[in-house]
């Protein structure tokens, strides 16, 4: 068994960095390992315009510790009032790399998201023309639909109609949690991608609910049955270029996770690469880890892979801290529930 693994430096194609004290604390956890990340715009208020994205980018770069090299790839939060001209201008100057679609009410800070999809048609058409990808949170918000069925329902009701109505639009189905999502993405051409998180490769819904409720395993889309987790592992480790890493690392302070109405989100930035190496090793697919973390994502976004590399080494289990501290309070690091033998070497 190989004791070290050297791969192109990874990127994270779906990341929540927040702002202020939490941004300052979580940014180094990502920048230590990842060269670039797609930064989610669901701040309060959301990052809607090109000017807001440029200002947020400056705050991120301002919070980056000396000596760490990291490029935030900014996104705009799509609303029913988004101006196609602003999107086009922001894309042309390179301030934004994608636009994010949240169905209104689907997840944390999504109240300004889209209710009537006809209202965003002209933005989507502009994006198709200029090749700007749309990242979608793929869950319907219809209260009649069971939370475990919301991703599958989104494909039929919203995603596939958008795909058919907007030929050429590059779309990423983010944080896929079902075999329905995997099958749909696989059935599409190379203008469709799908991101998969580390935590959804590890937990199923039993981890959240059996033996007491585990708020730190609660995220959206919520983890599904074991058969779905297995479909995600098969896709991530398959070498299929549709699929790439988007951690959806989503920090919330413990006081808001361990709460009668706990926030959704798993904070995985710190140990994602150790978790992934363990998952890929178990599938005898370590030779495909680099494609998932470092090659398929840049190819989808039309960017070069990173020139530098990182090396993972296998050894005695890594002792990650349980939490990181922020000036707003502690944030718990995702606990995969098994020992992590792979570490990123300094
Ligand atoms: C994310 C957050 O906290 O911003 N939460 C989550 O459970 N993933 C929002 C999101 O991506 O759905
Ligand atoms: Zn997210």
């Amino acid at each position: 068994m190989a004791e070290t693994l050297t791969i192109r430096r990874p990127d994270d194609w779906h990341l929540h960095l927040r702002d202020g004290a939490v941004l300052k604390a979580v940014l180094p956890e990502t920048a230590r390992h990842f060269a670039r990340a797609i930064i989610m715009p669901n701040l309060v208020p959301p990052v809607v315009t090109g000017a807001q994205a440029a200002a947020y980018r400056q705050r991120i770069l301002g919070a980056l510790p000396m000596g760490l090299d990291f490029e935030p790839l900014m996104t705009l939060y799509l609303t029913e009032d988004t101006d196609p001209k602003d999107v086009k201008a922001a894309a042309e100057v390179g301030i934004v790399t994608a636009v994010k679609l949240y169905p209104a009410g689907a997840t944390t800070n999504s109240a300004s998201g889209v209710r009537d999809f006809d209202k965003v048609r002209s933005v989507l058409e502009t994006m198709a023309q200029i090749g700007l990808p749309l990242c979608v949170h793929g869950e319907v918000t219809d209260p009649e639909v069971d939370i475990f069925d919301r991703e599958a329902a989104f494909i039929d009701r919203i995603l596939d109609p958008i795909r058919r109505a907007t030929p050429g639009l590059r779309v990423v189905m983010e944080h896929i949690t079902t075999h329905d999502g995997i099958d749909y993405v696989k059935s599409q051409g190379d203008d469709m991608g799908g991101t998969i998180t580390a935590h959804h490769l590890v937990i199923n819904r039993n981890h959240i609910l059996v033996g007491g409720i585990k708020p730190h395993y609660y995220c959206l889309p919520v983890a599904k049955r074991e058969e779905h987790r297995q479909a995600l592992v098969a896709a991530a480790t398959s070498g299929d270029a549709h699929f790439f890493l988007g951690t959806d690392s989503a920090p919330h302070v413990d006081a808001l996770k361990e709460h009668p109405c706990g926030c959704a989100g798993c904070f995985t930035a710190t140990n994602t690469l150790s978790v992934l190496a363990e998952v890929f090793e178990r599938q005898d697919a370590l030779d495909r880890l680099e494609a998932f973390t470092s090659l398929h994502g840049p190819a989808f976004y039309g960017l070069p892979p990173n020139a530098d590399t990182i090396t993972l080494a296998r050894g005695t289990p890594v002792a990650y801290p349980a939490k990181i501290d922020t000036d707003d309070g502690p944030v718990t690091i995702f606990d995969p529930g098994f020992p992590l033998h792979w570490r990123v070497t300094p």
Side-chain angles (χ1 to χ4, degrees), residues 150-173:
R150 288 180 173 198
E151 183 172 289
F154 181 87
I155 297 168
D156 296 337
R157 292 193 194 175
I158 298 169
L159 181 57
D160 196 54
I162 287 179
R163 300 273 303 149
R164 288 175 192 279
T166 334
L169 180 65
R170 303 183 66 70
V171 180
V172 183
M173 183 172 184

Side-chain angles (χ1 to χ4, degrees), residues 6 10 16 20 27 72 76 150 158 185 188 235 247 260 263 271 296 307 325:
T6 297
H16 299 270
L27 178 58
L76 296 181
R150 288 180 173 198
I158 298 169
V185 170
Q188 302 291 295
T247 66
C263 291
N271 58 5
H296 295 164
D325 282 321

Side-chain angles (χ1 to χ4, degrees), residues 109 178 307:
N109 305 334
T178 57

Side-chain angles (χ1 to χ4, degrees), residues 14 16 40 100 102 175 248:
H14 180 135
H16 299 270
M40 286 297 122
K100 173 74 187 234
Y102 288 103
H175 40 49
D248 196 13

